[in-house]
Amino acid sequence: MHALTLLVTALASVIGASPTPRQSSSYVGYLISTFSDATPQVQFHLSKGNSATSFSFLNKGKPVLASTVGTKGVRDIFLATNSARSEYYLLATDLDINVSGFSWDKATRQGSHSLVIWKSTDLVNWSGPSLRTVEDATAGMAWAPSAVWDDATSQYYLFWSSRLYAASDTKHTGTATLDRIRYATTKDFATFSEPKDYWAPTGTGLIDQEFQYLGSKGAYARFAKNESTSQIYQEITSDGLFGTWTRVGLVTSDTPREGPASFADNVTPGLYHLLLDDYTQYVPYQTTDIRTLAWKKSSTSGFPTGLKHGSVTPVTQKEYDALAAAYPA
């Protein structure tokens, strides 16, 4: 992937990365980017004002984007942007579970090695979908993308879930490694560095990673699904994405849960929200002490039903108004 010196430089920059804090008075609401099992296309839900738990289904309840590439179905939607908010990318798993003959076993052995990607400069006008290969031939699939922008190197760190097979097992009929988190770097989501392990667990597989910036240099929480128990782990660090992580524990005893989507409250400092997919829809949680296991279920009054593994993005007034005008509820 990287030459050793480049790798050290890149990792050091991420350790000191300082993305724009999410708890900011400049944000007036939230955008959920998601999909549904029945309709594997991109949906937008916009908050009612600055409420973190009350949303309207934009575009009169219809998807805003559909894939015409790969499997022609998308899941696990993630909206990425840089600190200047001058570009936006919608990233999605290339997977349609509704096709004839579908099986999860086949999807993890001969699944897509590509992500479906759209680009925009305003959240309203989007490019056509691109199918971009991120994994190598030993991987069984590329699922659940997420990305973190790094100001120091002007690039994104792209993460996804996969399992790997022996290079000699070209048809992937044998036993794979445990599910793990992989990563690559990119400046444009068109070309990527070679894939590399980011989080290779022992004992149980991990998928569906999500990061939460905690407002100070190098401070993050991360969440991932324990594939054995279908629960969500939380870890924290104070020295960057590639620093030392400390396991806090399980977010909740509730199971099954997957697809964590984390975001800071726009109004109340120190309040964080976490959406967990119960295999049918998102359930919202919140905490005022994210460094400990203090999550509790949020109010679901006004929270939409049927939302699946996606992401939540704070939006400015300009972005909020543009979305509401272009895709009225």
Side-chain angles (χ1 to χ4, degrees):
M1 178 174 171
H2 300 282
L4 179 58
T5 54
L6 179 59
L7 177 60
V8 172
T9 301
L11 299 194
S13 72
V14 174
I15 288 175
S18 299
T20 302
R22 296 235 174 159
Q23 286 164 306
S24 167
S25 60
S26 65
Y27 297 129
V28 302
Y30 311 89
L31 174 66
I32 300 179
S33 306
T34 186
F35 73 102
S36 69
D37 282 332
T39 308
Q41 300 169 345
V42 179
Q43 303 174 3
F44 281 167
H45 295 254
L46 189 63
S47 63
K48 296 177 180 178
N50 228 337
S51 170
T53 56
S54 185
F55 290 80
S56 297
F57 195 163
L58 295 187
N59 204 33
K60 301 187 184 301
K62 297 180 180 179
V64 296
L65 294 168
S67 176
T68 57
V69 296
T71 68
K72 298 182 174 58
V74 291
R75 302 172 67 85
D76 317 330
I77 314 299
F78 188 89
L79 177 60
T81 187
N82 57 14
S83 56
R85 301 178 81 88
S86 61
E87 60 186 17
Y88 308 86
Y89 294 92
L90 278 167
L91 319 175
T93 300
D94 176 32
L95 180 64
D96 185 358
I97 69 170
N98 300 314
V99 297
S100 177
F102 173 83
S103 77
W104 286 107
D105 181 67
K106 181 178 179 181
T108 58
R109 292 179 183 274
Q110 289 90 36
S112 177
H113 290 175
S114 301
L115 302 176
V116 181
I117 299 172
W118 291 264
K119 182 180 180 179
S120 174
T121 58
D122 57 10
L123 289 176
V124 170
N125 298 290
W126 292 91
S127 69
S130 298
L131 191 66
R132 301 294 186 181
T133 300
V134 297
E135 263 297 4
D136 62 33
T138 63
M141 75 288 194
W143 284 0
S146 66
V148 176
W149 169 259
D150 179 30
D151 269 328
T153 56
S154 298
Q155 65 182 350
Y156 295 89
Y157 283 77
L158 171 65
F159 301 87
W160 66 90
S161 306
S162 192
R163 62 181 59 171
L164 307 178
Y165 293 83
S168 59
D169 184 10
T170 56
K171 294 185 178 180
H172 299 176
T173 58
T175 301
T177 64
L178 292 171
D179 292 328
R180 76 252 334 271
I181 308 300
R182 303 267 280 169
Y183 83 102
T185 58
T186 182
K187 290 181 178 292
D188 55 10
F189 289 97
T191 59
F192 307 87
S193 62
E194 294 180 8
K196 189 181 182 76
D197 279 356
Y198 172 68
W199 187 357
T202 57
T204 181
L206 292 174
I207 65 171
D208 296 358
Q209 178 183 252
E210 168 87 345
F211 290 106
Q212 175 62 61
Y213 178 55
L214 299 183
S216 61
K217 187 176 181 179
Y220 292 89
R222 70 180 179 187
F223 308 90
K225 178 190 176 187
N226 178 336
E227 279 284 74
S228 294
T229 65
S230 296
Q231 293 173 299
I232 305 298
Y233 279 129
Q234 177 182 328
E235 298 191 341
I236 59 171
T237 187
S238 59
D239 54 1
L241 301 183
F242 291 84
T244 300
W245 290 86
T246 300
R247 177 72 53 88
V248 182
L250 295 173
V251 168
T252 173
S253 60
D254 298 338
T255 186
R257 294 292 186 268
E258 64 179 5
S262 177
F263 61 105
D265 195 271
N266 288 339
V267 178
T268 304
L271 176 61
Y272 292 88
H273 304 275
L274 183 65
L275 309 182
L276 300 181
D277 188 336
D278 71 358
Y279 288 17
T280 62
Q281 62 185 355
Y282 262 140
V283 179
Y285 296 77
Q286 64 185 56
T287 185
T288 55
D289 186 4
I290 196 171
R291 295 179 183 277
T292 69
L293 293 178
W295 294 95
K296 63 180 182 179
K297 287 185 179 179
S298 307
S299 168
T300 55
S301 176
F303 191 80
T305 60
L307 276 66
K308 298 286 292 178
H309 184 165
S311 64
V312 183
T313 306
V315 291
T316 64
Q317 190 70 63
K318 180 180 179 181
E319 293 165 339
Y320 189 102
D321 292 344
L323 286 162
Y327 306 113

